Amino acid sequence: MHNFKNALAKAKSGEMLNRQEICALLAAGPEESEELFGAADRVRHDHVGDEVHLRAIIEFSNYCRKNCLYCGLRRDNHSIPRYRLTEQEILEAVKKARELGFRTVVLQSGEDLYYDAKTIAKLVETIKNRHDLAVTLSLGERSREDYLAWREAGADRYLLKQETADEHLFSIIKPDGNMQQRVQCLQWLKDLGYQTGSGNMVGLPGQTLATLAEDIILMRKLDVEMAGIGPFLPHPATPLKAAAPGSPALTLKTLAVTRLCLPQAHLPATTSLCTLTPDGRKLALNCGANVIMPNLTPAGVRDKYLIYPQKADIIEKPEAALNNIQALLTELARPPAQDYGHAKKPPGRSF
Ligand code: SAH
Ligand code: SF4
C-alpha cells in the first residue's frame, strides 16, 4: 500500500520510476487501480490532449515465415487458408479508408517475403502520391536496407512490438529469432526517422509483474513514439492453445503505467483487449489510450487474419464500426482528431 502510494506520487510529479516502483503500480488492487487509472487519464490529457486518433488497419497478407508459438498465422498452422492482396486490392482499401475520413493507414502482414522491398516501396510511394495520408508499416523484422527503402518512399511510422523484454521467454515464444535482433530492428527504425511503435502482450505464460516492468523500461529506453499493450489470447491451432488468456485488469494496469512512464506516446485501445472484454475500448480510453485502429481489411479475407480467435473486428463493417466509435467518443467527450496524428516530439534516436 505504502509502496503504491509513493510510486504513484512520484509518477504524478513527473519523476522517472524505477523497476520496483513500476512493479508496485502493476500490483495495484481494485481500489488502487482506480487511482492509477485516474492518474494515467490526467497524464494523457495533459501531454497528448483529448483527441483520439483513428488509424485504418489493412491486413494485406496472412502468409508468415515465422512460427511464433502464440500466433494463429504461424507457418506450421496448416488449418487456415492463406491469402495475399494484390497491389490493386490494397490501393482500393486505402482509397476507402481515405473516403471514410482516415488520415493514417496501417499496412500489416505476416512476415511475407513475397512482397519484396521494391514492391512495398512502390506501394508506399503510390499511396503518398495519391492520398493525403500518413503511412504506417507493420511487416515484421526485415533488413535495414528494406526499412531505408520504405522510409525513402515516404513511410512515416513502423509498428514492431517487442512482445516481451524477457530474453528467455522471447526465445521460447519466438523460436525463429532473438531479442537482440528485434531490438536492433527497433533501433534501425528509430535511426531512420520512423515514428516507431513497440508494445507487448500481457499474460504470456511464464510472465511476471517484473517481466512487465522490464517491458515498460525497454520501451522507455528505446523512447518509442507508440506502444500497443494488449492481452495474450490463446489460439486453438497453436502450441499455446491450453494457456490462460491475459487478464483485462492487468492489461489495463500495464496500459496505465505505460502512459505514466511514456507521457507523450500514442497508445491504442487494442483490438485484443476489445476481444477479451466488450467494454475494453472505453476502459482503455479512460486509463491512458488515445488511439483506435478500425479494421479496413476487405471483407472477403478479413476472417482469415486470425492472429487470435474471435477477433473483435472481423464481422463489423467499417461504416458501422465508425458509427459505434463516434458514439463512444461523443459519450466520453473525446473528439476524433482531424490531423495525421504524428508524434508530438521529433522522431529519431535518443538512446
Ligand atoms: N508479423 C508482424 C505483424 C503482425 S502480428 C509481427 O509479428 O510483428 C501483430 C501483433 O499481433 C503481434 O505484434 C502480436 O503482439 C499480436 N498477436 C499475435 N498473436 C497474438 C495472440 N495470440 N494474442 C494476442 N496478440 C497476438
Ligand atoms: Fe508471423 Fe507476426 Fe504471427 Fe509471429 S506474430 S507468426 S511474425 S504474423
Side-chain angles (χ1 to χ4, degrees), residues 20-332:
Q20 285 76 18
E21 288 157 347
I22 293 175
C23 281
L25 294 183
L26 291 171
E31 258 179 51
E32 293 167 335
S33 291
E34 291 309 314
E35 262 187 83
L36 173 65
F37 297 163
D41 196 45
R42 267 190 302 281
V43 167
R44 188 270 310 149
H45 168 84
D46 292 348
H47 290 264
V48 291
D50 286 339
E51 288 187 336
V52 174
H53 303 280
L54 304 182
R55 330 277 207 199
I57 183 160
I58 299 164
E59 300 151 334
F60 65 90
S61 162
N62 70 350
Y63 279 84
C64 190
R65 63 173 164 165
K66 292 218 163 137
N67 224 4
C68 304
L69 258 56
Y70 48 85
C71 178
L73 306 190
R74 66 198 304 270
R75 66 169 184 266
D76 281 357
N77 182 11
H78 302 293
S79 66
I80 53 161
R82 303 280 173 169
Y83 72 89
R84 287 187 175 113
L85 296 187
T86 62
E87 189 189 354
Q88 193 53 38
E89 288 169 325
I90 300 171
L91 288 170
E92 271 166 33
V94 169
K95 184 164 174 272
K96 173 150 190 188
R98 186 63 195 106
E99 283 165 2
L100 287 172
F102 287 97
R103 301 301 304 278
T104 292
V105 284
V106 182
L107 304 182
Q108 192 180 77
S109 67
E111 283 199 17
D112 184 3
L113 297 186
Y114 172 85
Y115 301 88
D116 61 12
K118 268 203 182 132
T119 307
I120 297 293
K122 188 169 147 256
L123 180 65
V124 171
E125 222 173 278
T126 308
I127 295 172
K128 298 294 284 193
N129 286 337
R130 285 192 190 169
H131 301 287
D132 188 18
L133 280 166
V135 173
T136 304
L137 298 176
S138 180
L139 283 52
E141 292 170 43
R142 300 282 284 244
S143 68
R144 189 180 190 280
E145 289 68 38
D146 288 9
Y147 292 150
L148 172 64
W150 304 336
R151 180 82 185 112
E152 285 177 347
D156 303 274
R157 311 185 193 122
Y158 203 99
L159 301 177
L160 185 77
K161 287 172 65 168
Q162 187 59 39
E163 317 298 359
T164 177
D166 178 320
E167 207 165 338
H168 177 64
L169 184 57
F170 189 103
S171 68
I172 295 173
I173 61 165
K174 291 184 79 71
D176 307 274
N178 61 63
M179 213 182 97
Q180 281 76 24
Q181 205 178 311
R182 198 131 174 122
V183 171
Q184 174 70 85
C185 287
L186 286 162
Q187 288 175 337
W188 284 335
L189 292 163
K190 287 281 294 186
D191 275 345
L192 292 168
Y194 282 94
Q195 295 165 50
T196 304
S198 185
N200 67 350
M201 277 178 284
V202 177
L204 285 167
Q207 187 186 58
T208 62
L209 291 191
T211 325
L212 291 171
E214 289 302 333
D215 292 351
I216 294 171
I217 289 167
L218 178 64
M219 291 189 282
R220 188 172 64 188
K221 199 166 126 204
L222 290 168
D223 195 23
V224 292
E225 280 81 21
M226 306 168 285
I229 312 293
F232 157 70
L233 298 170
H235 187 295
T238 66
L240 296 184
K241 61 180 175 215
S247 98
L250 186 54
T251 305
L252 291 166
K253 286 191 280 180
T254 308
L255 170 64
V257 180
T258 304
R259 169 58 70 202
L260 295 177
C261 292
L262 290 96
Q264 293 199 317
H266 286 307
L267 305 179
T270 53
T271 305
S272 49
L273 181 62
C274 299
T275 303
L276 187 62
T277 178
D279 52 355
R281 185 173 278 157
K282 181 173 176 175
L283 295 169
L285 288 172
N286 280 334
C287 71
N290 69 327
V291 174
I292 296 175
M293 297 169 68
N295 193 336
L296 266 280
T297 306
V301 296
R302 204 187 295 175
D303 60 341
K304 298 179 184 66
Y305 197 85
L306 270 197
I307 43 185
Y308 46 79
Q310 268 94 49
K311 206 155 146 262
D313 58 9
I314 55 170
I315 300 167
E316 219 176 17
K317 281 199 157 73
E319 290 82 357
L322 275 175
N323 282 342
N324 288 339
I325 290 167
Q326 186 59 63
L328 176 64
L329 296 187
T330 304
E331 178 194 331
L332 299 178

